[in-house]
């Protein structure tokens, strides 16, 4: 009776999540069923100065990691046909053999929680800031090592970790953002608690995966794929939601050395776990599921007819029933994502996920397909208003790199004029050439409207937020209509002294009301 009462009191106090420096008197390491808490210990090389208290920063990150993983639907009661579960673990029938182990990992990590100075029965996790493996390179915020024998595992925190947002600040920074590509992108909400949680999944005892049992070890799985031109890319570690979702959306290629099931791969990659947990946490904070980055079939949903740099929230693919998918992924930050070395031999694997055919649309739950259609509407702006832009395109006798201009008039979703090209005696209009595109950021527009004239395809390229279209697109929410006659595609006749030629377009695009 006294033992039960003592335990009950201890568990109620654990809810306040206080962390201490001292190790418990009786230290048995991290236990996967650790209801009495885990103290952070040692803090080797970590500063405790008043103005640079790295110890305090780490302790608070630990509390925030626990806050993320305690959400219902993470630590327990995963709904396998929910949007987040399908995005990060695949349709239920593709992971049914792994579901119990995936849930067990979350349940075990949730029990790794801050302990107390008075608790003689708790456990400990070593913390370091001295970079013993020399792995604090570009893009690396922390790394975990699981030593052999009776040594304790440790997490080393790099200088970049101490520049991370707090959990609350990350949420506040983006939850009211009007641009859907910012608000609904889970990767934008990077924070110190998420970094800590990522590392906890690598701790064998926390994930209950020591020696790969009873749960498999959790790695940084590497992936390889073909780009839109058929060129091989990778292998690259499947960090962030952008890359980890690929493991859940595509079947392993038959070309690979290890064409195992979808469930096999997703339960072994750390960011399928950490980003799933973060997405579930955000659901209750930002008004819905953060569905970006989103993977989409370019043939079914031509959202971006000619993708330009910076579209990392949208990953397009093309594939037929008999071939592996070809992907369009923004890799501009690939070096930062893949900067750390494999410092822990116990968490190194030679297995590489080769992206194969996409999982068929008919394999997804109806509820997911309905939600997916709504996400497309948000990205395309259907739930907002429609802005209009009239463009008078002008072609002069100047050099081909600088001979396209435009006169532009923009009206917002309420029909109010928000911009008109000012008159000029020195220029026929505003330059819209590829080397000098016209970018308009005006009151009444949530995003920048970019206009670029293209000689090679004889059209105007427009982009607004996540929406891209051309003057040749005559159908859809973002489209254009030629007004009057088209011009001579050979350009002005009689150059260099010829008059400029012109043509006019009335265009529309989704925008905020």
């Amino acid at each position: 009776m006294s033992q039960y009462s003592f335990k009950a009191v201890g568990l109620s106090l654990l809810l306040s999540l206080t962390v201490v420096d001292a190790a418990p008197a009786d230290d048995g390491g991290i236990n996967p069923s650790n209801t009495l808490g885990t103290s952070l210990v040692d803090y080797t090389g970590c500063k405790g100065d008043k103005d640079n208290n790295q110890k305090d920063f780490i302790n608070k990150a630990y509390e925030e990691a626990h806050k993320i993983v305690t959400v219902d639907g993470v630590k327990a009661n995963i709904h396998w046909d929910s949007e987040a579960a399908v995005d990060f673990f695949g349709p239920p029938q593709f992971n049914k053999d792994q579901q119990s182990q995936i849930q067990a990992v979350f349940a075990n990590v949730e029990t790794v929680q801050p302990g107390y100075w008075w608790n003689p029965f708790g456990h400990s996790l070593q913390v370091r800031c001295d970079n013993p493996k020399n792995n604090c390179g570009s893009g690396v915020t922390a790394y975990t090592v699981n030593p052999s024998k009776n040594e304790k595992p440790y997490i080393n925190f790099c200088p970049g970790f101490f520049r991370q947002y707090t959990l609350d600040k990350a949420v506040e920074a983006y939850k009211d953002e009007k641009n859907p590509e910012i608000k609904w992108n889970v990767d934008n909400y990077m924070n110190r608690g998420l970094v800590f949680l990522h590392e906890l999944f690598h701790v064998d005892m926390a994930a209950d995966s020591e020696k790969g049992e009873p749960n498999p070890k959790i790695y940084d799985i590497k992936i390889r794929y073909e780009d839109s031109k058929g060129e091989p890319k990778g292998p690259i570690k499947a960090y962030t939601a952008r890359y980890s979702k690929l493991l859940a959306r595509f079947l392993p290629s038959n070309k690979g050395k290890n064409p195992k099931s979808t469930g096999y791969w997703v339960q072994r990659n750390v960011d399928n776990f950490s980003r799933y947990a973060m997405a579930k946490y955000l659901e209750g904070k930002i008004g819905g599921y953060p569905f970006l980055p989103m993977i989409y079939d370019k043939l079914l949903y031509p959202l971006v007819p000619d993708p330009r740099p910076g579209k990392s929230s949208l990953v397009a693919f093309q594939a037929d029933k008999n071939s592996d998918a070809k992907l369009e992924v923004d890799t501009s930050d690939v070096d930062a994502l893949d900067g750390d070395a494999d410092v822990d031999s116990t968490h190194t694997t030679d297995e590489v996920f080769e992206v194969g055919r996409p999982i068929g649309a008919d394999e997804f739950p109806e509820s997911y397909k309905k939600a997916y259609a709504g996400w497309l509407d948000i990205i395309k702006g259907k739930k907002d208003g429609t802005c209009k832009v009239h463009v008078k395109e002008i072609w002069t006798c100047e050099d081909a790199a600088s001979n396209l201009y435009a006169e532009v008039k923009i009206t917002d979703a309420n029909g109010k004029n928000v911009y008109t090209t000012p008159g000029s005696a020195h220029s026929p209009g505003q330059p819209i050439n590829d080397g000098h595109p016209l970018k308009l950021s005006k009151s009444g527009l949530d995003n920048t409207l970019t206009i670029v004239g293209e000689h090679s395809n004889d059209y105007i390229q427009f982009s607004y937020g996540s929406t891209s279209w051309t003057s040749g697109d005559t159908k859809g929410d973002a489209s254009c209509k030629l007004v009057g006659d088209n011009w001579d595609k050979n350009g002005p006749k009689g150059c260099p002294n010829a008059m400029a030629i012109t043509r006019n377009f009335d265009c529309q695009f989704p925008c905020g009301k």
Side-chain angles (χ1 to χ4, degrees):
M1 180 68 179
S2 62
Q3 182 181 8
Y4 175 83
S5 299
F6 177 81
K7 188 173 183 179
V9 171
L11 286 173
S12 67
L13 287 173
L14 281 172
L15 296 177
S16 64
L17 301 176
T18 302
V19 195
V20 296
D21 294 1
D26 180 15
D27 188 357
I30 297 178
N31 187 294
S33 184
N34 185 4
T35 57
L36 292 180
T38 299
S39 297
L40 304 183
V41 300
D42 294 351
Y43 296 86
T44 305
C46 302
K47 297 178 181 178
D49 305 340
K50 182 179 179 181
D51 297 329
N52 185 18
N53 196 329
Q54 293 177 331
K55 293 181 180 180
D56 185 63
F57 194 91
I58 292 169
N59 292 344
K60 286 183 169 59
Y62 190 22
E63 296 171 10
E64 292 168 4
H66 189 253
K67 184 184 293 186
I68 294 169
V69 83
T70 53
V71 173
D72 190 51
V74 178
K75 67 176 181 178
N77 305 317
I78 293 177
H79 297 287
W80 296 99
D81 59 353
S82 68
E83 292 97 331
V86 173
D87 262 354
F88 288 98
F89 299 117
Q93 64 272 31
F94 288 83
N95 60 40
K96 62 181 180 180
D97 293 336
Q98 291 80 24
Q99 289 177 7
S100 62
Q101 289 181 321
I102 292 171
Q103 180 66 88
V105 168
F106 283 116
N108 291 330
V109 169
E110 190 271 335
T111 67
V112 180
Q113 55 186 306
Y116 286 81
W117 66 268
W118 52 263
N119 176 12
F121 306 109
H123 306 286
S124 64
L125 174 63
Q126 188 180 22
V127 171
R128 309 184 68 138
C129 303
D130 61 340
N131 192 20
K133 296 291 185 179
N134 273 334
N135 193 38
C136 289
S138 174
V140 179
T141 53
Y143 60 88
T144 298
V145 175
N146 288 279
S148 58
K149 299 181 180 179
N150 295 323
E151 298 174 297
K152 293 184 183 69
Y154 67 80
I155 300 175
N156 183 87
F157 294 97
C158 301
F161 171 75
F162 300 101
R163 296 191 291 270
Q164 295 292 316
Y165 273 176
T166 67
L167 176 60
D168 288 344
K169 187 173 182 179
V171 173
E172 288 298 318
Y174 302 116
K175 70 181 181 69
D176 296 321
E177 175 63 48
K178 291 182 179 180
N179 184 342
E181 281 210 73
I182 297 176
K183 174 176 180 176
W184 299 111
N185 190 334
V186 66
D187 283 336
N188 285 335
Y189 293 85
M190 195 66 188
N191 62 85
R192 65 187 182 184
L194 182 57
V195 173
F196 205 127
L197 183 60
H198 173 110
E199 298 305 325
L200 278 179
F201 284 117
H202 278 319
V203 177
D204 288 341
M205 278 299 197
D208 200 8
S209 59
E210 191 172 17
K211 297 181 180 179
E213 303 220 350
N215 302 316
K217 288 178 178 289
I218 299 179
Y219 303 103
D220 297 315
I221 291 291
K222 294 181 179 179
I223 61 174
R224 186 182 289 114
Y225 63 92
E226 291 185 0
D227 66 14
S228 59
K229 298 178 181 178
E231 296 293 328
K233 297 292 181 180
I236 179 175
K237 292 178 181 178
Y239 286 150
T240 73
R242 187 194 337 167
Y243 288 99
S244 59
K245 283 185 178 184
L246 298 179
L247 301 177
R249 184 63 180 85
F250 297 93
L251 298 171
S253 173
N254 290 329
K255 299 175 185 176
K257 296 180 180 179
N258 197 355
K260 292 186 170 68
S261 68
T262 296
Y264 174 91
W265 294 100
V266 297
Q267 78 166 149
R268 285 166 170 79
N269 187 57
V270 65
D271 271 353
N272 288 77
F273 285 89
S274 68
R275 290 310 198 273
Y276 168 81
M278 189 65 204
K280 293 298 292 183
Y281 178 84
L282 288 172
E283 277 186 357
K285 301 294 181 180
I286 66 174
Y289 169 61
F291 58 90
L292 295 172
M294 186 168 71
I295 301 170
Y296 72 97
D297 186 335
K298 192 175 181 181
L299 297 179
L300 293 178
Y301 310 107
L303 291 177
V304 281
D306 185 18
R308 300 175 96 82
K311 300 234 179 248
S312 60
S313 63
L314 298 172
V315 178
F317 72 87
Q318 296 185 59
D320 57 42
K321 293 182 178 180
N322 300 314
S323 66
D324 293 344
K326 292 179 172 56
L327 308 182
E328 295 177 5
V329 188
D330 179 4
T331 59
S332 58
D333 58 352
V334 85
D335 291 336
L337 290 172
D338 212 30
D340 59 326
D342 295 317
V343 296
D344 180 5
S345 60
T346 69
H347 273 266
T348 301
T349 176
D350 293 330
E351 295 181 308
V352 176
F353 179 83
E354 305 271 359
V355 173
R357 293 182 292 108
I359 294 174
D362 58 343
E363 300 282 3
F364 289 84
E366 288 301 320
S367 58
Y368 179 86
K369 289 190 281 189
K370 182 177 180 181
Y372 191 92
W375 303 337
L376 291 171
D377 284 349
I378 292 174
I379 290 298
K380 293 188 291 186
K382 281 188 176 180
K383 294 191 176 180
D384 292 319
T386 299
C387 291
K388 295 183 179 181
V389 55
H390 176 84
V391 179
K392 178 181 179 181
E393 189 178 19
I394 303 162
W395 187 347
T396 71
C397 284
E398 297 171 69
D399 183 86
S402 58
N403 63 0
L404 293 178
Y405 297 81
E407 294 178 3
V408 179
K409 181 179 180 180
I410 305 172
T411 55
D412 67 15
N414 298 312
K416 180 182 177 181
N417 183 61
V418 296
Y419 181 78
T420 299
T421 296
S424 172
H426 306 290
S427 175
Q430 294 173 280
I432 59 168
N433 301 284
D434 194 54
H436 190 184
L438 176 59
K439 296 186 177 184
L440 299 172
S441 299
K442 301 296 175 182
S443 176
L445 297 178
D446 292 335
N447 297 290
T448 298
L449 176 64
T450 301
I451 304 174
V452 184
E454 306 261 1
H455 275 305
S456 57
N457 296 295
D458 192 36
Y459 61 44
I460 305 171
Q461 172 77 40
F462 300 86
S463 64
Y464 181 80
S466 62
T467 302
S468 296
W469 76 103
T470 75
S471 57
D473 295 324
T474 59
K475 297 181 179 180
D477 298 318
S479 57
C480 291
K481 178 182 179 181
L482 178 67
V483 179
D485 296 330
N486 205 343
W487 60 21
D488 186 336
K489 294 183 179 181
N490 295 314
K493 294 186 181 298
C495 286
N497 300 313
M499 294 287 291
I501 59 174
T502 65
R503 60 180 175 180
N504 291 271
F505 294 97
D506 282 334
C507 305
Q508 64 178 24
F509 58 96
C511 63
K513 291 182 178 179

